[in-house]
Amino acid sequence: MEIDLVIKNAKKNDQKAFNYLLDLYWDDVYGFQLKRTQNENDAEDITIQTFSKAFDRIETFKEKYTFKTWLITISKNIHIDLLRKEKNSISQVILKNNREVYDILDESPSPEDKLITEQHLAKLLRDIKKLKPHYQEIINLRYFQELSYKEISEELKEPINNVKVKLLRAKKLLAEIIQKT
């Protein structure tokens, strides 16, 4: 299939086109991130975020660029953002005797934060119940039971790439539900 046609179909929200692009470029983006992060889980998470962001913004893709380069650029920027967040959560302090000490910021939630989180969780659960049952199940397995993609794949007896696409779709539909309410 010609890539330009697949991208046009993806811009029309064609799920088969998204699946084709995911299958075609997954290894490239994942391999790129694995070299950068040296961690399979981080590389996989960033790769999923990359495709999610790319598919959400596919209408902004310009045909004068190659799709793979566009994906790699998105992936690189996501990784840089994550590194910045990590850097901001730990600040380095040097003592007078030249010993380095790391001052870790206290990010534990306050009682008010906990109350707000519980209220948001209740609303989120109501919103999740508005999804079709197979989307509810995959969100439950990933975020509430905290199963890996491989474990979800085994549980649902589906290929890992199908699990990733289904989860991506479930999150997108859930985001639309949340925005409406």
Side-chain angles (χ1 to χ4, degrees):
M1 194 181 292
E2 189 179 319
I3 195 68
D4 293 335
L5 178 62
V6 174
I7 292 168
K8 281 183 184 175
N9 289 341
K11 286 182 177 184
K12 294 176 186 172
N13 218 12
D14 178 0
Q15 195 62 42
K16 287 181 183 175
F18 287 133
N19 291 346
Y20 181 83
L21 292 170
L22 184 77
D23 288 340
L24 185 63
Y25 293 109
W26 176 268
D27 290 341
D28 295 319
V29 176
Y30 176 77
F32 172 76
Q33 279 304 329
L34 191 57
K35 286 178 188 170
R36 289 177 68 100
T37 63
Q38 302 291 308
N39 180 304
E40 291 178 5
N41 290 330
D42 290 346
E44 189 171 89
D45 287 345
I46 293 170
T47 302
I48 291 167
Q49 288 178 44
T50 300
F51 281 97
S52 177
K53 192 170 199 172
F55 291 167
D56 285 345
R57 302 193 193 319
I58 193 142
E59 71 281 348
T60 66
F61 174 71
K62 306 280 189 265
E63 284 74 17
K64 64 182 177 181
Y65 303 109
T66 62
F67 195 74
K68 178 180 167 183
T69 304
W70 187 64
L71 284 172
I72 296 293
T73 302
I74 292 170
S75 183
K76 183 179 79 173
N77 289 337
I78 289 171
H79 184 235
I80 289 169
D81 289 344
L82 290 172
L83 290 175
R84 282 187 190 131
K85 285 179 187 172
E86 253 179 47
K87 185 179 173 188
N88 289 338
S89 69
I90 297 177
S91 58
Q92 187 175 356
V93 179
I94 299 176
L95 298 177
K96 291 179 185 174
N97 60 1
N98 287 336
R99 283 187 42 216
E100 290 183 4
V101 175
Y102 291 92
D103 180 25
I104 299 174
L105 301 175
D106 181 13
E107 294 180 357
S108 57
S110 69
E112 295 85 4
D113 292 335
K114 288 178 184 173
L115 182 61
I116 290 169
T117 300
E118 287 170 12
Q119 290 172 344
H120 286 306
L121 182 59
K123 182 189 178 316
L124 178 63
L125 291 172
R126 285 193 304 271
D127 289 341
I128 289 171
K129 288 186 190 286
K130 294 176 185 174
L131 292 171
K132 291 181 180 176
H134 62 278
Y135 290 137
Q136 290 179 29
E137 180 182 30
I138 201 156
I139 285 180
N140 176 38
L141 292 172
R142 180 67 179 156
Y143 297 107
F144 293 98
Q145 294 183 29
E146 298 182 347
L147 297 182
S148 69
Y149 295 108
K150 184 178 183 203
E151 292 168 329
I152 295 171
S153 170
E154 291 166 359
E155 174 90 15
L156 299 178
K157 295 175 180 55
E158 290 186 24
I160 287 182
N161 277 352
N162 284 9
V163 168
K164 291 173 183 173
V165 170
K166 196 181 281 187
L167 187 61
L168 188 70
R169 185 78 183 127
K171 288 182 350 186
K172 192 172 186 176
L173 291 170
L174 183 59
E176 289 172 9
I177 290 170
I178 290 169
Q179 285 178 343
K180 290 178 184 176
T181 58

